[in-house]
mmCIF file of all heavy atoms in Angstrom:
data_model
loop_
_atom_site.group_PDB
_atom_site.id
_atom_site.type_symbol
_atom_site.label_atom_id
_atom_site.label_comp_id
_atom_site.label_asym_id
_atom_site.label_seq_id
_atom_site.Cartn_x
_atom_site.Cartn_y
_atom_site.Cartn_z
ATOM 1 N N VAL A 16 -46.332 -19.202 8.684
ATOM 2 C CA VAL A 16 -45.080 -19.966 8.637
ATOM 3 C C VAL A 16 -44.092 -19.385 7.626
ATOM 4 O O VAL A 16 -42.884 -19.441 7.852
ATOM 5 C CB VAL A 16 -45.309 -21.480 8.392
ATOM 6 C CG1 VAL A 16 -46.125 -22.083 9.521
ATOM 7 C CG2 VAL A 16 -45.957 -21.760 7.060
ATOM 8 N N LEU A 17 -44.599 -18.813 6.553
ATOM 9 C CA LEU A 17 -43.693 -18.139 5.616
ATOM 10 C C LEU A 17 -43.033 -16.942 6.299
ATOM 11 O O LEU A 17 -41.823 -16.730 6.160
ATOM 12 C CB LEU A 17 -44.444 -17.686 4.357
ATOM 13 C CG LEU A 17 -44.809 -18.780 3.372
ATOM 14 C CD1 LEU A 17 -45.701 -18.220 2.258
ATOM 15 C CD2 LEU A 17 -43.565 -19.414 2.774
ATOM 16 N N PHE A 18 -43.821 -16.198 7.039
ATOM 17 C CA PHE A 18 -43.303 -15.033 7.755
ATOM 18 C C PHE A 18 -42.270 -15.452 8.797
ATOM 19 O O PHE A 18 -41.187 -14.881 8.881
ATOM 20 C CB PHE A 18 -44.481 -14.291 8.399
ATOM 21 C CG PHE A 18 -44.134 -12.935 8.924
ATOM 22 C CD1 PHE A 18 -43.823 -11.893 8.057
ATOM 23 C CD2 PHE A 18 -44.131 -12.687 10.274
ATOM 24 C CE1 PHE A 18 -43.500 -10.633 8.531
ATOM 25 C CE2 PHE A 18 -43.818 -11.430 10.765
ATOM 26 C CZ PHE A 18 -43.505 -10.403 9.896
ATOM 27 N N ILE A 19 -42.593 -16.476 9.577
ATOM 28 C CA ILE A 19 -41.662 -16.987 10.602
ATOM 29 C C ILE A 19 -40.379 -17.483 9.944
ATOM 30 O O ILE A 19 -39.276 -17.208 10.407
ATOM 31 C CB ILE A 19 -42.323 -18.097 11.436
ATOM 32 C CG1 ILE A 19 -43.411 -17.497 12.333
ATOM 33 C CG2 ILE A 19 -41.290 -18.850 12.279
ATOM 34 C CD1 ILE A 19 -44.312 -18.529 12.993
ATOM 35 N N GLY A 20 -40.520 -18.220 8.849
ATOM 36 C CA GLY A 20 -39.344 -18.740 8.140
ATOM 37 C C GLY A 20 -38.445 -17.636 7.603
ATOM 38 O O GLY A 20 -37.219 -17.704 7.721
ATOM 39 N N VAL A 21 -39.039 -16.601 7.027
ATOM 40 C CA VAL A 21 -38.258 -15.493 6.469
ATOM 41 C C VAL A 21 -37.553 -14.719 7.580
ATOM 42 O O VAL A 21 -36.367 -14.385 7.459
ATOM 43 C CB VAL A 21 -39.159 -14.562 5.619
ATOM 44 C CG1 VAL A 21 -38.460 -13.253 5.278
ATOM 45 C CG2 VAL A 21 -39.594 -15.275 4.346
ATOM 46 N N ILE A 22 -38.276 -14.441 8.662
ATOM 47 C CA ILE A 22 -37.669 -13.721 9.789
ATOM 48 C C ILE A 22 -36.506 -14.535 10.356
ATOM 49 O O ILE A 22 -35.416 -14.007 10.619
ATOM 50 C CB ILE A 22 -38.707 -13.423 10.892
ATOM 51 C CG1 ILE A 22 -39.778 -12.461 10.396
ATOM 52 C CG2 ILE A 22 -38.041 -12.921 12.173
ATOM 53 C CD1 ILE A 22 -39.312 -11.064 10.102
ATOM 54 N N THR A 23 -36.714 -15.843 10.528
ATOM 55 C CA THR A 23 -35.662 -16.698 11.073
ATOM 56 C C THR A 23 -34.483 -16.789 10.114
ATOM 57 O O THR A 23 -33.333 -16.772 10.549
ATOM 58 C CB THR A 23 -36.204 -18.100 11.405
ATOM 59 O OG1 THR A 23 -37.310 -17.969 12.295
ATOM 60 C CG2 THR A 23 -35.140 -18.964 12.041
ATOM 61 N N PHE A 24 -34.761 -16.891 8.824
ATOM 62 C CA PHE A 24 -33.681 -16.901 7.830
ATOM 63 C C PHE A 24 -32.814 -15.657 8.010
ATOM 64 O O PHE A 24 -31.585 -15.750 8.114
ATOM 65 C CB PHE A 24 -34.241 -16.953 6.407
ATOM 66 C CG PHE A 24 -33.169 -16.813 5.351
ATOM 67 C CD1 PHE A 24 -32.533 -17.938 4.861
ATOM 68 C CD2 PHE A 24 -32.777 -15.571 4.878
ATOM 69 C CE1 PHE A 24 -31.522 -17.823 3.900
ATOM 70 C CE2 PHE A 24 -31.777 -15.436 3.934
ATOM 71 C CZ PHE A 24 -31.149 -16.571 3.435
ATOM 72 N N ALA A 25 -33.458 -14.499 8.033
ATOM 73 C CA ALA A 25 -32.713 -13.239 8.121
ATOM 74 C C ALA A 25 -31.918 -13.148 9.421
ATOM 75 O O ALA A 25 -30.731 -12.806 9.408
ATOM 76 C CB ALA A 25 -33.677 -12.059 7.998
ATOM 77 N N LEU A 26 -32.554 -13.466 10.539
ATOM 78 C CA LEU A 26 -31.861 -13.351 11.822
ATOM 79 C C LEU A 26 -30.747 -14.388 11.968
ATOM 80 O O LEU A 26 -29.720 -14.108 12.589
ATOM 81 C CB LEU A 26 -32.856 -13.447 12.982
ATOM 82 C CG LEU A 26 -33.759 -12.220 13.139
ATOM 83 C CD1 LEU A 26 -34.806 -12.454 14.223
ATOM 84 C CD2 LEU A 26 -32.948 -10.977 13.440
ATOM 85 N N SER A 27 -30.923 -15.565 11.398
ATOM 86 C CA SER A 27 -29.870 -16.584 11.454
ATOM 87 C C SER A 27 -28.666 -16.170 10.618
ATOM 88 O O SER A 27 -27.517 -16.334 11.044
ATOM 89 C CB SER A 27 -30.407 -17.937 10.982
ATOM 90 O OG SER A 27 -31.429 -18.384 11.830
ATOM 91 N N ALA A 28 -28.938 -15.645 9.434
ATOM 92 C CA ALA A 28 -27.840 -15.177 8.586
ATOM 93 C C ALA A 28 -27.085 -14.043 9.274
ATOM 94 O O ALA A 28 -25.848 -14.038 9.306
ATOM 95 C CB ALA A 28 -28.391 -14.722 7.231
ATOM 96 N N VAL A 29 -27.828 -13.118 9.857
ATOM 97 C CA VAL A 29 -27.203 -12.020 10.593
ATOM 98 C C VAL A 29 -26.448 -12.562 11.804
ATOM 99 O O VAL A 29 -25.360 -12.087 12.134
ATOM 100 C CB VAL A 29 -28.260 -10.966 11.012
ATOM 101 C CG1 VAL A 29 -27.709 -9.988 12.036
ATOM 102 C CG2 VAL A 29 -28.782 -10.235 9.787
ATOM 103 N N GLY A 30 -27.014 -13.582 12.468
ATOM 104 C CA GLY A 30 -26.368 -14.178 13.636
ATOM 105 C C GLY A 30 -24.992 -14.743 13.322
ATOM 106 O O GLY A 30 -24.058 -14.597 14.121
ATOM 107 N N VAL A 31 -24.851 -15.386 12.165
ATOM 108 C CA VAL A 31 -23.545 -15.914 11.767
ATOM 109 C C VAL A 31 -22.552 -14.767 11.629
ATOM 110 O O VAL A 31 -21.418 -14.849 12.112
ATOM 111 C CB VAL A 31 -23.643 -16.718 10.442
ATOM 112 C CG1 VAL A 31 -22.268 -17.094 9.920
ATOM 113 C CG2 VAL A 31 -24.491 -17.970 10.647
ATOM 114 N N LYS A 32 -22.990 -13.673 11.014
ATOM 115 C CA LYS A 32 -22.114 -12.511 10.846
ATOM 116 C C LYS A 32 -21.774 -11.887 12.197
ATOM 117 O O LYS A 32 -20.607 -11.581 12.466
ATOM 118 C CB LYS A 32 -22.801 -11.476 9.937
ATOM 119 C CG LYS A 32 -21.949 -10.285 9.623
ATOM 120 C CD LYS A 32 -20.772 -10.673 8.750
ATOM 121 C CE LYS A 32 -20.014 -9.438 8.306
ATOM 122 N NZ LYS A 32 -18.812 -9.789 7.566
ATOM 123 N N VAL A 33 -22.776 -11.724 13.052
ATOM 124 C CA VAL A 33 -22.552 -11.160 14.391
ATOM 125 C C VAL A 33 -21.558 -12.022 15.168
ATOM 126 O O VAL A 33 -20.642 -11.510 15.811
ATOM 127 C CB VAL A 33 -23.883 -11.017 15.166
ATOM 128 C CG1 VAL A 33 -23.649 -10.744 16.639
ATOM 129 C CG2 VAL A 33 -24.745 -9.921 14.550
ATOM 130 N N GLY A 34 -21.730 -13.336 15.096
ATOM 131 C CA GLY A 34 -20.819 -14.248 15.794
ATOM 132 C C GLY A 34 -19.396 -14.130 15.305
ATOM 133 O O GLY A 34 -18.454 -14.181 16.098
ATOM 134 N N SER A 35 -19.237 -13.955 14.003
ATOM 135 C CA SER A 35 -17.884 -13.847 13.465
ATOM 136 C C SER A 35 -17.224 -12.527 13.868
ATOM 137 O O SER A 35 -16.010 -12.444 13.947
ATOM 138 C CB SER A 35 -17.891 -13.996 11.943
ATOM 139 O OG SER A 35 -18.429 -12.856 11.320
ATOM 140 N N ILE A 36 -18.038 -11.520 14.131
ATOM 141 C CA ILE A 36 -17.494 -10.212 14.494
ATOM 142 C C ILE A 36 -17.374 -10.031 16.008
ATOM 143 O O ILE A 36 -16.335 -9.656 16.521
ATOM 144 C CB ILE A 36 -18.374 -9.075 13.913
ATOM 145 C CG1 ILE A 36 -18.331 -9.113 12.388
ATOM 146 C CG2 ILE A 36 -17.922 -7.711 14.425
ATOM 147 C CD1 ILE A 36 -19.323 -8.181 11.721
ATOM 148 N N PHE A 37 -18.461 -10.309 16.725
ATOM 149 C CA PHE A 37 -18.525 -9.984 18.143
ATOM 150 C C PHE A 37 -18.387 -11.175 19.080
ATOM 151 O O PHE A 37 -18.241 -10.990 20.283
ATOM 152 C CB PHE A 37 -19.850 -9.290 18.474
ATOM 153 C CG PHE A 37 -20.026 -7.988 17.768
ATOM 154 C CD1 PHE A 37 -20.935 -7.861 16.736
ATOM 155 C CD2 PHE A 37 -19.279 -6.883 18.132
ATOM 156 C CE1 PHE A 37 -21.109 -6.659 16.079
ATOM 157 C CE2 PHE A 37 -19.445 -5.671 17.481
ATOM 158 C CZ PHE A 37 -20.366 -5.560 16.448
ATOM 159 N N GLY A 38 -18.503 -12.385 18.560
ATOM 160 C CA GLY A 38 -18.431 -13.556 19.432
ATOM 161 C C GLY A 38 -19.746 -13.809 20.130
ATOM 162 O O GLY A 38 -20.795 -13.404 19.676
ATOM 163 N N ALA A 39 -19.703 -14.479 21.262
ATOM 164 C CA ALA A 39 -20.896 -14.953 21.959
ATOM 165 C C ALA A 39 -21.517 -13.909 22.889
ATOM 166 O O ALA A 39 -22.388 -14.233 23.676
ATOM 167 C CB ALA A 39 -20.550 -16.207 22.745
ATOM 168 N N LYS A 40 -21.116 -12.670 22.772
ATOM 169 C CA LYS A 40 -21.568 -11.614 23.676
ATOM 170 C C LYS A 40 -23.093 -11.477 23.721
ATOM 171 O O LYS A 40 -23.661 -11.207 24.772
ATOM 172 C CB LYS A 40 -20.943 -10.290 23.244
ATOM 173 C CG LYS A 40 -21.294 -9.110 24.101
ATOM 174 C CD LYS A 40 -20.580 -7.867 23.607
ATOM 175 C CE LYS A 40 -20.945 -6.661 24.436
ATOM 176 N NZ LYS A 40 -20.292 -5.453 23.941
ATOM 177 N N TYR A 41 -23.784 -11.660 22.590
ATOM 178 C CA TYR A 41 -25.216 -11.402 22.517
ATOM 179 C C TYR A 41 -26.079 -12.656 22.605
ATOM 180 O O TYR A 41 -27.297 -12.557 22.594
ATOM 181 C CB TYR A 41 -25.542 -10.647 21.229
ATOM 182 C CG TYR A 41 -24.848 -9.316 21.159
ATOM 183 C CD1 TYR A 41 -23.768 -9.116 20.320
ATOM 184 C CD2 TYR A 41 -25.250 -8.276 21.973
ATOM 185 C CE1 TYR A 41 -23.115 -7.902 20.271
ATOM 186 C CE2 TYR A 41 -24.605 -7.053 21.934
ATOM 187 C CZ TYR A 41 -23.537 -6.867 21.082
ATOM 188 O OH TYR A 41 -22.894 -5.672 21.045
ATOM 189 N N LYS A 42 -25.469 -13.823 22.693
ATOM 190 C CA LYS A 42 -26.212 -15.084 22.677
ATOM 191 C C LYS A 42 -27.254 -15.150 23.783
ATOM 192 O O LYS A 42 -28.434 -15.354 23.524
ATOM 193 C CB LYS A 42 -25.245 -16.258 22.773
ATOM 194 C CG LYS A 42 -25.911 -17.597 22.838
ATOM 195 C CD LYS A 42 -24.865 -18.696 23.047
ATOM 196 C CE LYS A 42 -25.498 -20.036 23.235
ATOM 197 N NZ LYS A 42 -26.238 -20.169 24.458
ATOM 198 N N SER A 43 -26.862 -14.991 25.025
ATOM 199 C CA SER A 43 -27.802 -15.148 26.131
ATOM 200 C C SER A 43 -28.817 -14.006 26.159
ATOM 201 O O SER A 43 -29.980 -14.224 26.511
ATOM 202 C CB SER A 43 -27.065 -15.249 27.466
ATOM 203 O OG SER A 43 -26.347 -14.071 27.723
ATOM 204 N N LYS A 44 -28.427 -12.818 25.763
ATOM 205 C CA LYS A 44 -29.364 -11.697 25.719
ATOM 206 C C LYS A 44 -30.458 -11.960 24.689
ATOM 207 O O LYS A 44 -31.631 -11.643 24.915
ATOM 208 C CB LYS A 44 -28.631 -10.398 25.404
ATOM 209 C CG LYS A 44 -27.730 -9.947 26.536
ATOM 210 C CD LYS A 44 -26.938 -8.725 26.166
ATOM 211 C CE LYS A 44 -25.987 -8.391 27.303
ATOM 212 N NZ LYS A 44 -24.978 -7.448 26.966
ATOM 213 N N ALA A 45 -30.101 -12.532 23.550
ATOM 214 C CA ALA A 45 -31.079 -12.841 22.512
ATOM 215 C C ALA A 45 -32.055 -13.910 22.995
ATOM 216 O O ALA A 45 -33.271 -13.782 22.795
ATOM 217 C CB ALA A 45 -30.371 -13.311 21.239
#
């Protein structure tokens, strides 16, 4: 659960940045 939490933390933080730059282009692919 620590591993899952850390991975999710990182990907969520990156997701906010990706969304601000690229928009919803990668949402369904992810």
Side-chain angles (χ1 to χ4, degrees):
V16 298
L17 285 173
F18 192 69
I19 290 168
V21 168
I22 295 293
T23 304
F24 174 90
L26 289 174
S27 297
V29 167
V31 172
K32 184 68 173 175
V33 167
S35 73
I36 296 171
F37 298 108
K40 181 178 179 182
Y41 299 106
K42 177 185 175 292
S43 62
K44 291 176 184 167

